[in-house]
Amino acid sequence: MDKILRIDMGASGGPAIRTEALGDYAGLGGRGMTSAIVAKEVPPTCHPLGTENKLIIAPGLLSGSAAVQSGRISVGCKSPLTGGIKEANSGGQGAQVLARLGYAAIVLEGKPADDTLYKMHITKDGVTIEADNSLKMLGNYDLVDKMKAAYGDQIACISIGPAGEMKMASATVAFTDPEVRPTRHAGRGGVGAVMGAKGVKVIVLDDTGCKMRAPADPEKFKAANKEFTAGLKKHPVCGQGLPTYGTNVLTGVINEAGAYPTHNFATGRFEGFEKISGEALAELENSRGGEGAATHGCHRGCVMKCSGTFYDKNGNFLTKQPEYETVWAHGGNCGISDLDAIALLDRLDDDFGLDTIEMGATIGVAMEAGIAKFGDVEAAIRLVKEVGQGTPLGRILGAGAAVTGQAFGIEHVPVVKGQAMPAYDPRAVQGVAVTYATSPMGADHTAGYAVTANILGVGGTVDPLKPEGQVELSRNLQIATAAIDATGMCVFIAFAILDQPETFQALLDLISGFTGKPMTGDDVTALGKQILTWERDFNKAAGFNAAHDRLPGYFKREALAPHNVVFAVKDEELDQVFNW
Amino acid sequence: MVASKQDTLTVELVVTEADLWRFFGLLRQGILVTTHLPSSLQQLLLVALKIPDAYVRERIQTVFLNGKAVDDIQGASVSDGDVVTLSAAMPGLVGATLRKGGQLTNLRSSLSHRSLSTETEAVAPGMVTVKLFNLVCAELGPPFLGRGVLLPGGHFKAFLADVWPELAPACIGARIGEKPVEAAVLPESVAPGAMVRLKVGTQTR
């Protein structure tokens, strides 16, 4: 990973490829790399779909090595959904393969003068890019099948579906999984629309003949990797709960807590939760059987295996195991309690290249507007298909929840900075809502996922009884998560780190064993702060201010059943989140 | 709110071990536990439900009392009609915030259970609903079902309507009270209003 691949899609005579040394970006990976390049090279006031915006695809610092769980890849740009900086990350094979090919980032710049669509092919021998308009409006599944037919099945694909080509603000960038299926997505913020604006349909990666990235200190790295793996496997969440049930195990618990947004965030409990719970999903998958049924890793080198494979009633592959967020968005949020229908919606989203959270939230808003009734499965499927087909209604829905709310005159639109909230009602879990409100990314559940202040020692330990504790915790979690996102590590390592200090130490040793440089908790903190500073500064220059770090007003006014709570964190407290 | 024996229908079933999971949905909806109340939550778990102390301390990491997250199971008092939910440790930031006594409890302060004094309440027989989720359900489910669990009749009727058509052919034995019955006629033998004491044993075919 000692070079950056830049493609000027707007160069005269066709796309121009150049490879550069890392320069100022040396030592960065994942979100660190994407946010650094966006902050330095993209004019903050540019149009997200214009020639000045750039799309950066960057594997994590440890990706491509033997480090377990290091398969996350970041996609960054100015977001067409939020208007601010965006980093969306994904699992799949892309990070490992791109890193082994030696690239710390791919940067797509400029835009073609016409609507020609391109495909790229990257191998150890070089990069080719060619026009291929036969790929137009292909779904991700057909597209990947076509690439496999052309390049063999030892490839990894980075692609967009029709939503990206139509430059919809909820469009994703898809990454293929170990079975070369386009099931993993950098979902949030419309990054797929930016790739579409660059005219790139698919990037085909083939690391045949490439070696695994070698650590600077092989002995230290190997020992730390072993300790880190053992720590993950022995942990009750990472080693048992997630492999058995997947992330959807949260449905029952969040519903019980009264924090499960139901019927477009109207109430905190969903009557039909049991039918779509993680337990019910795993039981259904196991009863249907098939390869990787309820337990499956999204990339090679994953030991947690929190995903699964959803086969339909006839035993045919339909999609990967829908995540908690997807089951919620298309399920409880829309009043739907049919797992087969939710899995089909997940498949449609993946094929069209749509963010499942944004789409589920958008359909929830549309249902509140009377476009369909809550619980109407057929209508939900029809609406997603309209998005994929680009009908006039589909174009509105594909622009996301905020635009849909505006189009249909709805106040109840659960967004921050234009991005739909994920599967936790902010009135019930108010500390998480602080992160929803203040993250530079817009409402984002992964922005505060990682380790606590008390482990990292960010700003001293937090007294949980003090009222300002929620703000301080949110700040520290955002710092830590930004740093984790730079390593390429899956966020789910956080639980083992949270509970087991020896596993956190093993992670630090793993990083320093790989880079050959000492790594401490303070270094992690400094990296996280640096990334957030780049992101906040970009947003400020793009026109964001404190007013954008707020939840919609109705969350302060309308109480959420069953606990009858409103969002009560004061604006002045929210404004303190980034005062470090 | 305590069920009388006259209101309770006893159903005993024998299935293969591989089919036992089909009953877990009933445990997630909630079993009814009769005991003297108010009592501490810890007492309910250790004595009334006979869950080993180490299991309560180590495996049951997420506990709700009437939908509010509990940090101190010794200090939390359970009264007649309450709902207790038991879960293993959960993923995600929110999952972590909901864990008992975790470092992130302040993130969900509005959802935290606060112990209220129940000193003035007289101790009397009462009933609590206990829901078992995820790994806790998978691990405690078999012994609970083996000992027998009390269920709302409506839940059992709905279970029979949803699951029984597929499960009945695999049922090895069925009794209502002392009387053996054909598995196929079980649904029509359960009245909607009655409570059901369900005991499920396993046997190799």
Side-chain angles (χ1 to χ4, degrees):
Chain A
M1 277 200 356
D2 56 354
K3 56 193 174 187
I4 292 175
L5 176 64
R6 290 180 185 265
I7 299 102
D8 180 357
M9 297 302 299
S12 60
I17 300 166
R18 68 184 193 279
T19 303
E20 291 179 351
L22 295 175
D24 293 344
Y25 302 121
L28 295 173
R31 180 173 168 183
M33 178 67 83
T34 63
S35 289
I37 295 178
V38 173
K40 188 172 179 184
E41 300 182 17
V42 174
T45 54
C46 75
H47 193 287
L49 303 178
T51 188
E52 300 91 346
N53 200 6
K54 299 188 180 188
L55 187 83
I56 300 103
I57 302 169
L61 274 175
L62 297 178
S63 300
S65 75
V68 295
Q69 305 302 137
S70 62
R72 300 297 292 188
I73 191 163
S74 293
V75 180
C77 58
K78 176 169 176 170
S79 165
L81 185 72
T82 70
I85 197 166
K86 173 55 62 181
E87 184 264 358
N89 64 55
S90 173
Q93 285 297 103
Q96 307 287 28
V97 177
L98 186 59
R100 282 173 197 155
L101 283 162
Y103 295 101
I106 297 173
V107 183
L108 302 180
E109 305 173 339
K111 65 185 287 189
D114 57 20
D115 62 355
T116 301
L117 209 50
Y118 291 88
K119 69 178 175 188
M120 290 173 61
H121 185 217
I122 305 177
T123 70
K124 68 178 175 53
D125 299 320
V127 181
T128 58
I129 182 163
E130 59 183 301
D132 188 347
N133 286 322
S134 74
L135 306 179
K136 279 191 174 177
M137 295 305 277
L138 283 183
N140 278 310
Y141 275 90
D142 283 347
L143 173 70
V144 167
D145 282 346
K146 203 164 180 177
M147 293 304 104
K148 283 196 288 189
Y151 299 107
D153 55 9
Q154 298 301 308
I155 57 171
C157 294
I158 305 171
S159 62
I160 56 170
E165 288 187 59
M166 291 186 278
K167 303 172 193 68
M168 290 176 169
S170 55
T172 63
V173 173
F175 294 83
T176 48
D177 61 18
E179 289 73 33
V180 202
R181 292 166 174 157
T183 61
R184 307 293 149 183
H185 292 248
R188 309 240 61 196
V191 291
V194 180
M195 188 158 157
K198 302 300 176 197
V200 177
K201 177 72 173 175
V202 60
I203 301 170
V204 180
L205 308 172
D206 186 341
D207 65 354
T208 301
C210 296
K211 290 180 179 170
M212 199 172 275
R213 293 176 67 209
D217 184 342
E219 289 306 312
K220 183 176 183 180
F221 178 82
K222 191 177 173 186
N225 205 22
K226 191 175 173 187
E227 171 78 20
F228 187 61
T229 303
L232 295 175
K233 285 187 170 177
K234 76 180 180 187
H235 189 269
V237 172
C238 304
Q240 293 175 294
L242 281 171
T244 306
Y245 301 109
T247 56
N248 193 33
V249 69
L250 281 164
T251 293
V253 172
I254 301 300
N255 189 71
E256 194 63 17
Y260 192 76
T262 301
H263 292 185
N264 189 31
F265 290 72
T267 183
R269 281 199 180 138
F270 177 45
E271 197 177 329
F273 86 94
E274 160 59 22
K275 289 183 178 173
I276 58 171
S277 67
E279 294 91 326
L281 179 56
E283 287 164 1
L284 180 68
E285 288 170 339
N286 283 327
S287 69
R288 288 180 180 174
E291 181 82 23
T295 306
H296 181 263
C298 80
H299 69 273
R300 295 195 185 97
C302 169
V303 297
M304 277 194 262
K305 299 187 188 297
C306 73
S307 191
T309 311
F310 194 98
Y311 297 94
D312 67 15
K313 288 171 182 165
N314 300 317
N316 299 314
F317 170 83
L318 181 61
T319 188
K320 86 283 194 187
Q321 180 182 75
E323 303 281 350
Y324 166 64
E325 307 291 342
T326 303
V327 174
W328 159 75
H330 282 306
N333 189 52
C334 294
I336 290 172
S337 57
D338 178 340
L339 280 173
D340 282 297
I342 292 167
L344 175 59
L345 288 160
D346 183 68
R347 164 68 181 238
L348 291 172
D349 286 340
D350 283 356
D351 200 33
F352 295 141
L354 291 164
D355 175 16
T356 58
I357 296 175
E358 196 66 42
M359 281 316 301
T362 300
I363 292 173
V365 170
M367 285 177 162
E368 178 152 341
I371 304 300
K373 288 184 177 168
F374 285 107
D376 187 338
V377 170
E378 294 308 317
I381 292 169
R382 176 176 52 79
L383 291 176
V384 173
K385 285 183 176 175
E386 290 214 32
V387 177
Q389 290 157 2
T391 67
L393 174 60
R395 292 278 185 159
I396 292 171
L397 300 173
V403 167
T404 299
Q406 285 178 331
F408 292 102
I410 295 296
E411 182 196 359
H412 292 149
V413 181
V415 300
V416 177
K417 300 182 180 77
Q419 179 169 287
M421 292 179 191
Y424 313 92
D425 195 290
R427 290 163 288 194
V429 193
Q430 306 210 350
V432 173
V434 173
T435 301
Y436 280 4
T438 60
S439 166
M441 300 296 154
D444 187 346
H445 65 295
T446 62
Y449 236 139
V451 287
T452 68
N454 294 341
I455 286 179
L456 284 177
V458 185
T461 55
V462 171
D463 180 350
L465 299 177
K466 284 185 180 173
E468 65 270 27
Q470 301 194 48
V471 166
E472 296 204 357
L473 277 169
S474 174
R475 174 193 306 143
N476 297 332
L477 289 163
Q478 290 193 57
I479 290 169
T481 302
I484 296 288
D485 285 345
T487 65
M489 284 283 170
C490 171
V491 286
F492 291 153
I493 66 169
F495 318 116
I497 293 172
L498 182 74
D499 291 335
Q500 299 162 183
E502 72 278 11
T503 307
F504 179 59
Q505 186 56 50
L507 173 64
L508 295 179
D509 292 344
L510 190 64
I511 298 169
S512 64
F514 186 78
T515 62
K517 296 173 185 169
M519 170 68 78
T520 66
D522 288 344
D523 297 324
V524 176
T525 302
L527 176 61
K529 281 183 178 177
Q530 178 60 76
I531 293 168
L532 284 167
T533 301
W534 285 327
E535 293 169 350
R536 294 275 298 177
D537 287 351
F538 182 91
N539 280 359
K540 190 177 174 187
F544 285 72
N545 55 39
H548 296 92
D549 288 344
R550 301 287 184 264
L551 300 185
Y554 69 94
F555 286 104
K556 290 183 172 181
R557 199 170 65 232
E558 298 180 13
L560 179 75
H563 297 307
N564 296 318
V565 283
V566 295
F567 181 62
V569 179
K570 293 176 182 164
D571 290 350
E572 308 86 78
E573 292 179 72
L574 295 176
D575 293 339
Q576 296 306 311
V577 168
F578 293 98
N579 280 346
W580 50 62
Chain B
M1 189 172 158
V2 180
S4 69
K5 285 194 176 172
Q6 290 85 343
D7 297 330
T8 304
L9 188 71
T10 301
V11 177
E12 292 186 35
L13 302 173
V14 180
V15 299
T16 67
E17 201 170 325
D19 282 321
L20 197 59
W21 66 268
R22 294 175 185 272
F23 295 86
F24 290 173
L26 284 167
L27 308 183
R28 293 195 287 271
Q29 286 179 288
I31 60 174
L32 302 169
V33 179
T34 54
T35 187
H36 283 81
L37 299 168
S39 88
S40 79
L41 180 51
Q42 187 176 44
Q43 188 85 348
L44 176 80
L45 301 182
L46 298 181
V47 179
L49 287 167
K50 299 184 177 67
I51 304 173
D53 182 46
Y55 191 91
V56 171
R57 276 187 283 109
E58 290 162 22
R59 177 59 102 188
I60 300 176
Q61 288 292 318
T62 313
V63 181
F64 294 100
L65 178 52
N66 298 326
K68 296 223 167 187
V70 176
D71 293 303
D72 174 15
I73 62 167
Q74 198 170 4
S77 179
V78 182
S79 298
D80 186 37
D82 282 351
V83 179
V84 173
T85 306
L86 307 176
S87 161
M90 286 292 97
L93 175 61
V94 176
T97 68
L98 294 173
R99 286 164 64 175
K100 64 180 181 192
Q103 297 179 63
L104 301 175
T105 56
N106 199 44
L107 290 177
R108 45 88 168 159
S109 52
S110 65
L111 270 186
S112 297
H113 173 76
R114 311 270 180 236
S115 297
L116 299 173
S117 171
T118 52
E119 282 174 10
T120 55
E121 283 187 48
V123 174
M127 187 179 285
V128 177
T129 298
V130 177
K131 299 178 182 178
L132 306 178
F133 283 173
N134 49 70
L135 290 170
V136 172
C137 184
E139 290 163 355
L140 295 184
F144 276 33
L145 288 166
R147 290 203 301 260
V149 293
L150 190 63
L151 302 169
H155 288 186
F156 191 61
K157 277 293 266 189
F159 165 81
L160 290 175
D162 283 352
V163 179
W164 201 244
E166 200 179 330
L167 184 55
C171 181
I172 297 167
R175 300 169 76 93
I176 294 182
E178 299 298 314
K179 191 177 161 192
V181 295
E182 289 294 322
V185 304
L186 193 61
E188 61 208 55
S189 307
V190 179
M195 292 205 196
V196 173
R197 178 160 293 282
L198 174 68
K199 194 171 174 181
V200 186
T202 58
Q203 192 177 303
T204 310
R205 263 196 185 276

